[in-house]
Amino acid sequence: MDNNMEEKWIKHYSSWQKMLLVGEGNFSFSSCLARAFGSATNMVATSFDDKVTLLRRYGINCASYLEDLEERGCLVLHEVDVHDMNQHPTLKSMKFDVIIFNFPHAGHVSWLKERDELLIVRHRHLVRAFFESASELLKEDGEVHITHRDDDPYRQWKLEELCETAGFCLKEKVEFNKKDYPGYINKRGGNINGNVTFPLKDCSFTFKFCLQKSGSSLTSNDDDGYHKVREAIANEVSGILAELGSKFGLN
């Protein structure tokens, strides 16, 4: 990253920010930022899946985005899990100004719908783990951005509650408009119809989180709250599994 170059902006993002993008699908969002900046030396873009899986799922467009990113100097990493990305051999020594996770999703299950409690619990587990690992990769004055739909059932993920357990607080909530990011094509992802888009409607927002200041760090009561959230999620999972076991005669 060369701060002697002219600073360029696209919406919330600057070519002078060191940024980490996680959970990229076809890499069209990363590529959009790189084109706006004219360079991607300030960017690390990652995917959960390996490269072969991505190319099989998203095809030639994904290959084109990856080639463009690498030509512009982006560090592209595959098989990065947000649960433990702070332990990734390449990432663990880095600090970022902004960490971006667009439309997080814990994966589709053929017999579960988005409104089903078990899938909501899985999503909450994912986001909580992301906050925990992101906290160790973020600069002191950095931000975590999660773009997410804020209607039911998605608002039941309770992002603001989850962020507090990892020492974050909500700084700002800004309406997300895909038109602000030319070339970005949001994808469903996963193994079930992964290469189709999903409706963003008019209820998608970018939630900006920052680390709580030292004067407002987690107290013992907050720490108790953190463990209560984890316990509540575990109890939800146990209850749902017991109900499913009874329903399908697995008990």
Side-chain angles (χ1 to χ4, degrees):
M1 183 171 60
D2 184 359
N3 284 1
N4 292 319
M5 297 177 62
E6 177 188 359
E7 184 177 21
K8 296 181 179 179
W9 285 85
I10 175 169
K11 200 60 179 176
H12 318 291
Y13 306 113
S14 160
S15 58
W16 285 6
Q17 293 171 325
K18 182 68 174 178
M19 60 180 60
L20 170 65
L21 298 99
V22 303
E24 285 288 272
N26 61 1
F27 283 85
S28 61
F29 189 82
S30 298
S31 182
C32 164
L33 299 187
R35 290 194 305 275
F37 299 151
S39 169
T41 56
N42 62 316
M43 296 168 54
V44 180
T46 73
S47 66
F48 174 74
D49 292 309
D50 61 78
K51 186 175 181 179
V52 172
T53 299
L54 291 175
L55 295 178
R56 185 185 303 121
R57 179 178 300 143
Y58 301 116
I60 191 170
N61 286 339
C62 179
S64 176
Y65 295 137
L66 289 172
E67 181 179 359
D68 180 56
L69 285 166
E70 290 172 349
E71 287 179 353
R72 295 180 187 274
C74 180
L75 174 59
V76 176
L77 301 173
H78 302 292
E79 299 181 87
V80 174
D81 189 336
V82 300
H83 288 79
D84 57 5
M85 62 186 181
N86 57 309
Q87 298 300 318
H88 189 279
T90 302
L91 297 176
K92 65 182 181 181
S93 61
M94 295 182 174
K95 294 290 184 181
F96 297 93
D97 296 298
V98 60
I99 300 176
I100 303 167
F101 198 175
N102 287 328
F103 301 103
H105 200 280
H108 301 281
V109 181
S110 61
W111 48 276
L112 288 176
K113 298 184 182 300
E114 291 295 336
R115 64 176 177 270
D116 290 338
E117 286 186 49
L118 182 55
L119 192 52
I120 290 171
V121 169
R122 288 181 54 168
H123 293 323
R124 282 169 54 80
H125 268 293
L126 173 72
V127 175
R128 177 176 52 78
F130 164 69
F131 276 124
E132 290 177 355
S133 57
S135 68
E136 298 188 25
L137 298 175
L138 199 65
K139 293 181 181 179
E140 185 176 350
D141 58 348
E143 295 180 354
V144 162
H145 292 186
I146 296 181
T147 300
H148 184 58
R149 276 178 50 174
D150 194 29
D151 61 339
D152 283 327
Y154 303 99
R155 64 162 52 105
Q156 295 180 42
W157 298 18
K158 301 178 182 177
L159 297 186
E160 293 176 53
E161 177 183 283
L162 295 174
C163 84
E164 292 174 357
T165 67
F168 285 91
C169 60
L170 180 64
K171 180 179 180 180
E172 188 179 15
K173 175 182 172 184
V174 184
E175 185 176 358
F176 178 83
N177 189 336
K178 193 164 72 168
K179 293 180 181 178
D180 291 329
Y181 302 96
Y184 173 48
I185 306 172
N186 61 297
K187 294 293 186 178
R188 174 181 163 94
N191 296 323
I192 303 175
N193 298 322
N195 196 29
V196 301
T197 60
F198 58 91
L200 302 184
K201 299 186 177 181
D202 58 355
C203 53
S204 294
F205 294 86
T206 297
F207 294 77
K208 300 181 181 181
F209 301 93
C210 61
L211 290 167
Q212 296 183 30
K213 302 299 182 183
S214 56
S216 59
S217 59
L218 290 177
T219 65
S220 58
N221 288 336
D222 293 323
D223 193 52
D224 288 342
Y226 164 74
H227 291 295
K228 287 178 181 177
V229 169
R230 296 191 69 165
E231 183 179 354
I233 292 175
N235 289 338
E236 285 182 69
V237 173
S238 297
I240 293 168
L241 290 176
E243 182 179 341
L244 290 172
S246 176
K247 180 177 179 180
F248 293 102
L250 300 177
N251 290 339

